[in-house]
Amino acid sequence: MLFNIKQETLPREELEALQLRRLRDLCDRVYANVPFYRKRFDEAGVTPADIKSLADLKLLPFTEKQDLRNYYPFGLFAVPRDHIVRLHASSGTTGKAVVVGYTARDLENWAELMARSMSAAGVNRSDVVHVAYGYGLFTGGLGAHYGAERIGATVVPASGGATRRQAHLMRDFGATVLCATPSYSLHLWEAAQEAGVDFRELALRIGIFGAEPWSEAMRRDIEEKMHIDALNIYGLSEIMGPGVAMECVEAKCGMHLWEDHILPEIIDPVTGEQLPPGQVGELVLTTLTKEGIPMLRYRTRDLTSLNYTPCCCGRTHVRISRLQGRSDDMLIIRGVNVFPQQIEGLLMESDGLTPNYQIIVGSVNNLDTLEVRVEVSDSLFADEIRKLQMLENRLQKNIKEFLGVTAKVRLMEPRSIQRSEGKAQRIVDQRGKD
């Protein structure tokens, strides 16, 4: 189902012409109104007039998350503060919060792109959308909320927490769509089981999951347990919030990124050089229409690739592949690069393991150590100790063979790893804390 047929099916030639017009306008706006960008342009020896084609994008400076922190709170805004009608912010746990501002038009565009995204998942005005993303300064809850309302669906703003109660509300209100992080959706399923609510008997048919990386194996697990179509959504506050890109239910093969509003490129995360379509690298995004706090070549640190081949759903916008991790989440264990999703993929190949796991990184005698803790299912936990030990040994061998790093695997009791109402904490780095 397409929400905006004309814009979602623009021929590539028309789409690129629109992108160029909007990119040139963006450069004019930020050079005139944002001292940070004017300084960066001047340092690079570039003026807005130098941008004559989309290929000239590579001439422009990058923007990074630290830039937003350095100019906290409003230093990168491109409009006067009294034109800002909404503020969102990150938690700031690793430094100053990242603050983003929206004009009224920004909010209209956000609702439009979320409506497109949810429609791609199959949501329509007859649906009841249960939003279990957090509300508040986090963009997740309100983004899904306004997208669903733009479609005309019924919204249940459940937010996070009170998980058992949410299971009852989904049953009582007839929820047909669940919006949550993938890890919280499984936590919700567990709580529902304990509360006597069977997801397979609910009206639920669609899950829109994002805000954290997840694997195809986790998708299969969720779909089997809940009897739904589980779809991947992508977004980040610095660009807009959720709805930057979305899988279509027809293909479930990459997320359509709304190119009339956001211009993507893939770069080598080390050199910064642009990479060709199909090659995996760091996703860089430029907001073509954002007024409040435009982002020019924003380095997301997310690793993915671009796919321009036609999609069976009819949308012409490029697809980004499932995220393979983050360049800044990469663990270097004794010189070996390891991403959490690589470990998750190996774990999920074994029957009897749940998607609840943690990676513990430590140090002994100045040498890095890696421990993987993963919960087993109730049925496997009741099995013989010898069989559990054999499974641990097999997993350790698989990690060594496929990733080239030695890891200790510990099978944990069911529900022993702490659940999160937001993004799951997959990595616990204890190096240098002794």
Side-chain angles (χ1 to χ4, degrees):
M1 180 186 303
L2 283 75
F3 181 77
N4 186 331
I5 295 175
K6 179 182 178 182
Q7 293 302 114
E8 293 178 54
T9 60
L10 278 175
R12 174 58 47 183
E13 184 177 344
E14 291 183 31
L15 189 51
E16 290 183 353
L18 176 62
Q19 288 175 328
L20 179 58
R21 290 196 302 272
R22 289 179 168 178
L23 176 62
R24 298 184 69 179
D25 174 69
L26 168 68
C27 291
D28 287 335
R29 285 190 289 119
V30 298
Y31 191 83
N33 299 316
V34 185
F36 163 80
Y37 279 120
R38 188 181 312 120
K39 182 173 183 288
R40 287 289 181 88
F41 272 63
D42 293 344
E43 289 173 346
V46 180
T47 70
D50 293 326
I51 307 305
K52 296 180 172 62
S53 71
L54 291 178
D56 294 328
L57 181 66
K58 64 179 181 293
L59 303 176
L60 298 173
F62 291 113
T63 309
E64 305 201 30
K65 180 172 284 190
Q66 190 58 45
D67 295 323
L68 283 86
R69 293 188 174 120
N70 291 343
Y71 286 82
Y72 172 90
F74 308 139
L76 295 187
F77 284 15
V79 298
R81 211 279 309 146
D82 60 2
H83 288 203
I84 298 293
V85 299
R86 171 89 64 78
L87 292 172
H88 281 283
S90 70
S91 60
T93 54
T94 57
K96 285 185 177 179
V98 170
V99 178
V100 291
Y102 300 77
T103 66
R105 183 175 294 175
D106 289 337
L107 293 181
E108 283 292 312
N109 287 338
W110 188 13
E112 155 83 16
L113 298 192
M114 272 303 298
R116 289 188 199 178
S117 298
M118 299 177 84
S119 296
V123 180
N124 60 60
R125 61 181 300 108
S126 67
D127 279 304
V128 176
V129 181
H130 184 98
V131 180
Y133 288 118
Y135 280 67
L137 290 176
F138 173 61
T139 56
L142 286 169
H145 186 118
Y146 289 120
E149 284 191 341
R150 176 65 66 89
I151 290 172
T154 301
V155 182
V156 181
S159 192
T163 306
R164 281 199 180 196
R165 180 170 179 265
Q166 289 207 39
H168 287 292
L169 289 177
M170 291 178 67
R171 180 193 62 195
D172 297 344
F173 292 175
T176 57
V177 180
L178 172 62
C179 299
T181 63
S183 58
Y184 186 68
S185 73
L186 287 170
H187 180 34
L188 187 56
W189 178 83
E190 289 177 343
Q193 294 287 99
E194 294 170 359
V197 176
D198 188 343
F199 262 67
R200 293 171 297 181
E201 296 177 357
L202 301 182
L204 198 66
R205 62 188 185 88
I206 298 169
I208 297 176
F209 303 127
E212 64 187 19
W214 54 304
S215 64
E216 284 295 325
M218 186 180 283
R219 188 213 297 266
R220 291 192 295 270
D221 186 49
I222 290 172
E223 291 188 334
E224 182 179 341
K225 287 175 175 174
M226 299 185 180
H227 284 209
I228 62 172
D229 282 308
L231 297 156
N232 204 358
I233 190 170
Y234 175 72
L236 59 167
S237 297
E238 298 93 317
I239 298 302
M240 181 180 71
V244 170
M246 179 74 208
E247 273 186 322
C248 59
V249 69
E250 292 90 347
K252 288 187 184 177
C253 183
M255 295 172 279
H256 290 280
L257 188 144
W258 308 119
E259 292 183 85
D260 52 335
H261 290 267
I262 301 160
L263 181 60
E265 55 184 314
I266 298 292
I267 65 166
D268 183 307
V270 177
T271 68
E273 295 296 315
Q274 289 182 333
L275 298 176
Q279 195 163 333
V280 174
E282 180 183 338
L283 179 65
V284 173
L285 299 175
T286 295
T287 59
L288 297 174
T289 58
K290 198 168 184 182
E291 296 178 334
I293 181 169
M295 288 286 106
L296 189 65
R297 300 194 79 194
Y298 182 76
R299 296 190 61 164
T300 69
R301 302 295 177 182
D302 290 318
L303 299 176
T304 184
S305 61
L306 298 179
N307 180 1
Y308 287 92
T309 58
C311 182
C312 62
C313 71
R315 293 174 179 84
T316 55
H317 295 241
V318 68
R319 284 172 286 168
I320 60 173
S321 62
R322 181 178 288 277
L323 303 185
Q324 298 189 19
R326 289 178 54 83
S327 59
D328 54 359
D329 272 355
M330 182 178 72
L331 297 170
I332 302 178
I333 307 297
R334 301 192 186 187
V336 179
N337 298 341
V338 178
F339 292 99
Q341 274 193 293
Q342 293 174 316
I343 293 177
E344 179 182 302
L346 292 173
L347 296 177
M348 294 301 293
E349 290 175 358
S350 296
D351 294 334
L353 299 182
T354 78
N356 300 303
Y357 68 93
Q358 279 191 330
I359 300 168
I360 314 296
V361 186
S363 179
V364 175
N365 297 326
N366 296 317
L367 293 175
D368 293 335
T369 62
L370 186 65
E371 179 177 291
V372 180
R373 299 174 183 174
V374 57
E375 289 182 12
V376 301
S377 64
D378 289 301
S379 58
L380 186 61
F381 184 65
D383 218 329
E384 299 176 15
I385 293 179
R386 181 178 59 85
K387 290 184 179 179
L388 296 176
Q389 290 174 335
M390 290 175 61
L391 177 56
E392 284 183 341
N393 292 335
R394 186 171 76 247
L395 291 170
Q396 288 172 178
K397 181 181 178 183
N398 288 346
I399 291 173
K400 177 66 174 178
E401 287 181 350
F402 286 94
L403 302 183
V405 65
T406 299
K408 177 179 176 58
V409 175
R410 287 182 57 192
L411 300 183
M412 309 291 289
E413 295 181 25
R415 293 170 288 281
S416 60
I417 293 177
Q418 184 175 356
R419 303 298 192 262
S420 171
E421 294 174 3
K423 298 181 182 182
Q425 183 183 8
R426 299 299 193 195
I427 303 171
V428 179
D429 196 338
Q430 298 176 337
R431 290 175 290 189
K433 296 183 179 180
D434 295 336

